[in-house]
Amino acid sequence: MFFGLFEDDNNNDYDYKRIRRDLEDEYAIQSATFSGGFGFCQMIDASSASNEELLKMARREGFNINKYKK
């Protein structure tokens, strides 16, 4: 559902388990390749983030969140 220009993300139309897993993988790779402890901390944050926070993190990392729609 759209409200103005923004999509309503307060629904269960996303596969949050998959978003969480992909974010954790992304941050683990970042940790191993260039960011070190910062990537590790982000990985821990992703593991305990709320659904809303997961969407924010995914957008920040440039994920196409539409591919996670059910």
Side-chain angles (χ1 to χ4, degrees):
M1 174 177 274
F2 287 91
F3 296 104
L5 298 175
F6 300 101
E7 188 172 345
D8 177 19
D9 293 331
N10 295 324
N11 58 45
N12 291 323
D13 289 343
Y14 294 98
D15 185 348
Y16 292 104
K17 185 175 181 178
R18 191 168 142 224
I19 294 172
R20 185 179 314 278
R21 184 188 65 230
D22 288 354
L23 279 168
E24 288 172 344
D25 289 349
E26 174 67 22
Y27 292 138
I29 291 166
Q30 287 181 19
S31 176
T33 57
F34 62 89
S35 69
F38 182 68
F40 181 77
C41 290
Q42 288 181 307
M43 184 177 66
I44 299 300
D45 290 345
S47 69
S48 61
S50 68
N51 290 347
E52 181 181 324
E53 202 52 40
L54 284 173
L55 290 176
K56 289 178 186 176
M57 294 168 88
R59 285 187 183 106
R60 187 175 57 233
E61 291 303 320
F63 285 24
N64 176 6
I65 62 166
N66 290 326
K67 80 176 195 173
Y68 297 99
K69 284 208 175 220
K70 292 181 180 178

